[in-house]
Amino acid sequence: MTLPIEITRLIDKNEIEKAIVEITGLITSSPDDASLYYERGKLFWRTEQRRAAINDYARAAELDSTSPAGEALKQAFAIMQFYDKSRYNP
């Protein structure tokens, strides 16, 4: 599903929390639409809600194995596991 123009405008205006609420409403009416979970996951990631983003990516990948959410999930885990000893400051 392509996001409705109203949600796209919210994202363009950086009203991410409102866009998340709107997408959540769409998910309620279409709970098997993987693209909605993926789109909401991207917004959760932008707002640093990592756990929610990962959950949405996982759900999207579960619903549609060809979804780009599978790759986003791999990248999210790679980012979360990154550790640079040279930046460690006790």
Side-chain angles (χ1 to χ4, degrees):
M1 164 188 262
T2 303
L3 288 178
I5 193 75
E6 298 83 18
I7 295 175
T8 304
R9 285 184 182 146
L10 288 172
I11 295 167
D12 290 343
K13 293 191 301 186
N14 206 32
E15 295 181 20
I16 304 304
E17 292 299 329
K18 288 181 183 179
I20 289 171
V21 170
E22 293 296 320
I23 294 173
T24 300
L26 292 175
I27 288 172
T28 301
S29 61
S30 299
D32 294 330
D33 189 336
S35 66
L36 293 174
Y37 289 97
Y38 174 62
E39 292 297 333
R40 187 176 69 173
K42 292 191 307 183
L43 296 178
F44 278 138
W45 192 266
R46 282 178 61 178
T47 60
E48 299 185 18
Q49 298 177 63
R50 305 295 192 227
R51 180 175 291 165
I54 288 169
N55 288 340
D56 274 359
Y57 292 154
R59 180 68 177 139
E62 178 183 311
L63 290 170
D64 179 4
S65 62
T66 64
S67 168
E71 186 60 32
L73 186 60
K74 288 179 193 173
Q75 290 177 2
F77 281 131
I79 290 167
M80 298 294 285
Q81 293 175 359
F82 178 76
Y83 176 75
D84 183 357
K85 288 192 310 186
S86 67
R87 294 179 184 217
Y88 181 68
N89 187 5

